[in-house]
Amino acid sequence: MTQTLDAQVGKASATTRNDADLIAELSLELDEAVRRERILARVLRIISQQGHSLDAVIGAVLDNALEICEAEFGILFEYHGDLRYSAKQSRNITPAFGRWLEEQDIFAVDTETGLGRVATRLTTINITDVRGENIYQEGAPLRIATADLGKARSFVAIPIMWGDKLLGAFTVYRTRVHPFNDRMLELAQLFADQAAIAIENARNQSGGALHTENRGSPSVSDSERELPLLAILPFRAVDEDDATTRAIGRRLASSVSMELASSPLFRMIDQASSFSSKVANMTPMETAELLGARLIVSGSIRGLPHGGYRIAPILHEAGRPAPIWSELFTSLDGDTNALFESLLTRLCAAIGTGVERQLLDAAKTRRSNNHSAMDHFLKGLELHHLHGSGGFQIARQHFEAALDQDTDFARARAALAITFVREWFWNSDRLDLLDTAETHARTAVALAPQDPWAQTVCGVVALYNRRHAEATANFDRAMEGAPYDSYVVSRAALGKFYSGDFDAAIELFQRAIKLDPLHADRQRGMLGHAYFHTGQHDLAIANLKAIEQPLVWELVWLACSQAIIGDPEHSATAEKYRASVQTSCSQYSANARPFQNDTDMKRLEAAMQNTGIIWD
């Protein structure tokens, strides 16, 4: 009995010790997690405040990475291709190592050095002891300098990637043999991601130069500098039965998405796609894959007991399970406008831009602080993609309701103008509809002269009134402000098309499809039409046949392309057109479209005649 009791006491003591150890371990992990979040928030704040200065951002990344990784010194290297690097910025390195790096300027590295392995493998390299590897014994210059001049023993080199392109490497060093664990490597990768975003934004703003000093690096083409596609999903309500909180989550996400789309520094997936029911039950990573997005914002919103709201946005990068950024925002008094400003500024900081103040100032001229007006406006936008002959009427009611709440709401005024363009499109004999659209569009421009939507609508009205030079000027101004807004891009493409610049139109229609992939049928139709005019009839047919529910004019273009290449299906397509005309009472006439050049219109008419399509 004594032995049994002693054994049970021993087990109890062991259990108590195990529980105490577990509690201590969890407490340490919590303290470490809080510390990590504070340091990352500090870096993001510096990016927000000094995003225009690449040196300041890189310095902040280095300083805080050394602290959180418990390292003595660090260096950010720029990659120049062909195993060549240069040291861009450093922290706490020895004077001798600093002089060596400065003398080297751009230098080549051996493939088995840490930087060499980063360049060839594009993965993080964790070096336990710089003196313990053969490359040191073989006398590789960089390894000798790192060990003998820099006094380094353990270090980690993390690639700074933009897509599949290596921008550079981010290295932190310890002067003792003490390798970095997996958690440290994960944190270091977060800082490398922030450096990549800051470098790429600096490159875009400076016309392609990665660094502030000209060190002879190769020029970077526009395609290489292309911004990552960003999508924002609706913030889901934690309580799914709370309709008010759910609506606020959609409003906040939509407002941020709309403002970012109006800046040339962001390439946004249109909210019509990111809010689509097709992605409602997908994870952020699944949604990113479907939409083709590189960056994606998701999150949740919760109503607080006393009337406020708490929102938790998360920024993901496709292919990385850990979020790039997350934060909590709270409005105790229910001021969702303050939440919008916080979301916009902090997201800009997380991505690495310094334009949040300009975005906020611009937003005040084109959005509304009236919650009811914003809700009506956003509801109208959801109906904006209904291309039937009557969909515009429901959307118009919401835009008018928004203007009843806020007569100075520029975006709602521009959107209202579009509904009259749509009505004219289905009733082309009523020119008074274009006059009404023009009145609303000019009012929108007067309220917000820099608003790309207002400029675009003015361009559309001018185009259909066959004032092509004026339309081109409007579209150019809109594209300068928002070259990655799907609506602006698609209408600018339309302007290029009807002016006869079909190659430019093709490029813009393709861009519009990428920016709104789940509602791309109309852009595919116009893309097919542009391919028809350039004689690329196979491509025209491929795009037109991809449309799920073609409109009458899209059937015309398909039949014409099929007839030209001798495809016997053209007769069946022409028959579908005639059946559709009988149903919709909407016949297609080439000369009713605003072609600037008669030869383009006559080319289409001749093809229609060849196909056997009859028109008045």
Side-chain angles (χ1 to χ4, degrees):
M1 184 181 293
T2 300
Q3 291 174 347
T4 301
L5 290 173
D6 287 344
Q8 290 176 346
V9 170
K11 290 179 181 178
S13 299
T15 301
T16 302
R17 285 195 301 272
N18 290 340
D19 289 345
D21 291 343
L22 179 60
I23 292 171
E25 183 179 344
L26 291 174
S27 179
L28 287 172
E29 288 185 359
L30 178 60
D31 289 343
E32 185 178 344
V34 171
R35 178 167 163 264
R36 290 198 307 268
E37 290 297 323
R38 286 175 178 170
I39 291 176
L40 187 56
R42 189 191 311 159
V43 173
L44 294 176
R45 184 165 58 252
I46 292 170
I47 292 174
S48 174
Q49 295 169 350
Q50 303 189 54
H52 61 284
S53 172
L54 178 60
D55 286 340
V57 171
I58 296 303
V61 168
L62 281 171
D63 288 338
N64 290 279
L66 294 183
E67 178 181 345
I68 203 167
C69 294
E70 299 173 358
E72 279 75 40
F73 67 94
I75 306 171
L76 186 137
F77 291 94
E78 176 185 349
Y79 186 58
H80 297 274
D82 298 326
L83 293 174
R84 296 177 305 129
Y85 288 88
S86 62
K88 175 167 179 56
Q89 199 170 137
S90 63
R91 282 293 184 272
N92 304 336
I93 66 173
T94 65
F97 194 20
R99 285 193 298 271
W100 185 87
L101 289 170
E102 186 175 356
E103 290 169 359
Q104 303 306 308
D105 193 19
I106 299 175
F107 57 93
V109 299
D110 293 279
T111 56
E112 290 306 309
T113 61
L115 291 180
R117 280 180 268 176
V118 165
T120 56
R121 303 178 191 178
L122 301 180
T123 189
T124 297
I125 304 300
N126 192 2
I127 307 295
T128 300
D129 185 358
V130 299
R131 295 175 181 268
E133 294 189 331
N134 290 337
I135 193 71
Y136 177 73
Q137 308 301 329
E138 294 168 359
L142 177 60
R143 179 56 60 90
I144 295 296
T146 302
D148 296 353
L149 300 180
K151 309 301 181 186
R153 294 303 300 268
S154 296
F155 84 95
V156 62
I158 305 99
I160 300 174
M161 303 293 298
W162 192 253
D164 58 359
K165 180 180 178 62
L166 179 65
L167 300 182
F170 174 62
T171 58
V172 290
Y173 305 78
R174 288 171 174 162
T175 56
R176 63 200 184 281
V177 177
H178 186 188
F180 296 82
N181 60 34
D182 290 342
R183 186 170 298 172
M184 291 296 183
L185 298 183
E186 181 181 336
L187 293 171
Q189 184 63 63
L190 285 176
F191 286 112
D193 292 340
Q194 296 302 322
I197 295 168
I199 288 170
E200 190 64 15
N201 277 287
R203 167 182 286 171
N204 289 323
Q205 293 175 356
S206 62
L210 183 152
H211 40 73
T212 54
E213 300 174 348
N214 183 9
R215 305 176 83 167
S217 62
S219 61
V220 182
S221 69
D222 289 339
S223 62
E224 289 176 314
R225 292 200 307 268
E226 192 171 66
L227 299 173
L229 272 171
L230 169 65
I232 296 182
L233 310 182
F235 299 120
R236 57 179 179 79
V238 174
D239 181 359
E240 295 182 355
D241 295 329
D242 186 345
T244 300
T245 301
R246 191 168 63 247
I248 291 171
R250 291 178 68 87
R251 182 203 306 155
L252 287 170
S254 183
S255 296
V256 172
S257 176
M258 191 164 51
E259 294 308 322
L260 295 184
S262 296
S263 167
L265 295 180
F266 298 91
R267 201 160 65 108
M268 294 295 303
I269 294 286
D270 192 89
Q271 62 196 44
S273 283
S274 61
F275 283 28
S276 170
S277 59
K278 296 179 182 178
V279 301
N281 297 317
M282 291 184 177
T283 66
M285 291 297 98
E286 291 170 337
T287 303
E289 183 176 358
L290 178 65
L291 299 179
R294 164 82 180 279
L295 301 173
I296 194 160
V297 178
S298 64
S300 61
I301 183 169
R302 179 192 300 273
L304 300 178
H306 302 294
Y309 299 96
R310 176 168 293 157
I311 192 164
I314 303 172
L315 176 63
H316 308 265
E317 182 177 13
R320 294 185 186 276
I324 296 176
W325 164 78
S326 62
E327 202 162 335
L328 285 176
F329 301 101
T330 302
S331 172
L332 297 177
D333 58 2
D335 184 0
T336 56
N337 289 320
L339 282 176
F340 161 75
E341 294 193 5
S342 297
L343 274 169
L344 186 65
T345 55
R346 299 301 294 136
L347 180 58
C348 285
I351 294 174
T353 71
V355 299
E356 50 271 18
R357 177 46 54 190
Q358 297 96 305
L359 279 176
L360 281 177
D361 291 342
K364 292 175 182 178
T365 67
R366 58 189 174 224
R367 70 187 299 273
S368 177
N369 288 329
N370 184 294
H371 297 162
S372 177
M374 280 299 296
D375 286 340
H376 276 294
F377 171 65
L378 296 176
K379 185 63 176 176
L381 284 186
E382 290 182 8
L383 299 166
H384 181 263
H385 289 269
L386 296 179
H387 286 269
S389 60
F392 63 86
Q393 294 174 333
I394 308 173
R396 181 183 297 170
Q397 294 172 9
H398 286 285
F399 297 140
E400 289 174 337
L403 289 167
D404 286 341
Q405 299 290 326
D406 183 353
T407 57
D408 294 332
F409 190 176
R411 276 284 168 97
R413 184 71 63 180
L416 179 61
I418 283 297
T419 67
F420 287 96
V421 175
R422 282 276 174 82
E423 186 175 1
W424 169 83
F425 200 80
W426 291 93
N427 301 276
S428 300
D429 56 332
R430 287 192 54 193
L431 295 180
D432 61 298
L433 294 171
L434 281 183
D435 293 338
T436 303
E438 186 157 14
T439 298
H440 286 302
R442 293 190 181 281
T443 302
V445 170
L447 291 169
Q450 304 304 316
D451 183 16
W453 280 23
Q455 293 289 347
T456 297
V457 176
C458 279
V460 169
V461 175
L463 179 66
Y464 286 122
N465 277 316
R466 300 179 186 275
R467 304 196 303 265
H468 292 91
E470 180 184 333
T472 296
N474 285 124
F475 292 139
D476 287 347
R477 283 192 288 270
M479 284 289 289
E480 184 178 351
Y484 304 112
D485 181 301
S486 66
Y487 179 71
V488 173
V489 171
S490 65
R491 299 306 89 183
L494 203 65
K496 295 291 186 184
F497 176 87
Y498 283 118
S499 69
D501 190 350
F502 299 116
D503 289 333
I506 286 170
E507 182 180 346
L508 290 176
F509 283 130
Q510 289 172 335
R511 184 191 299 187
I513 288 171
K514 289 182 180 179
L515 296 173
D516 191 5
L518 301 186
H519 298 85
D521 276 358
R522 302 293 77 84
Q523 310 316 320
R524 288 194 186 93
M526 288 305 302
L527 178 59
H529 197 185
Y531 278 131
F532 164 83
H533 282 278
T534 59
Q536 301 177 78
H537 299 106
D538 288 341
L539 289 174
I541 292 170
N543 279 277
L544 291 163
K545 292 186 77 171
I547 299 172
E548 291 185 10
Q549 296 181 326
L551 300 176
V552 290
W553 41 85
E554 291 161 347
L555 291 171
V556 168
W557 305 332
L558 176 58
C560 288
S561 298
Q562 289 172 327
I564 286 175
I565 68 169
D567 185 342
E569 287 188 21
H570 81 270
S571 297
T573 305
E575 194 58 43
K576 286 181 183 178
Y577 162 73
R578 283 187 278 271
S580 181
V581 167
Q582 290 178 353
T583 302
S584 65
C585 299
S586 179
Q587 210 165 1
Y588 180 76
S589 175
N591 60 17
R593 301 301 93 199
F595 287 106
Q596 184 174 6
N597 304 315
D598 285 344
T599 54
D600 297 327
M601 180 190 69
K602 290 177 179 178
R603 180 189 303 113
L604 179 58
E605 285 185 334
M608 291 169 66
Q609 179 112 33
N610 180 52
T611 308
I613 290 176
I614 306 299
W615 70 95
D616 292 334

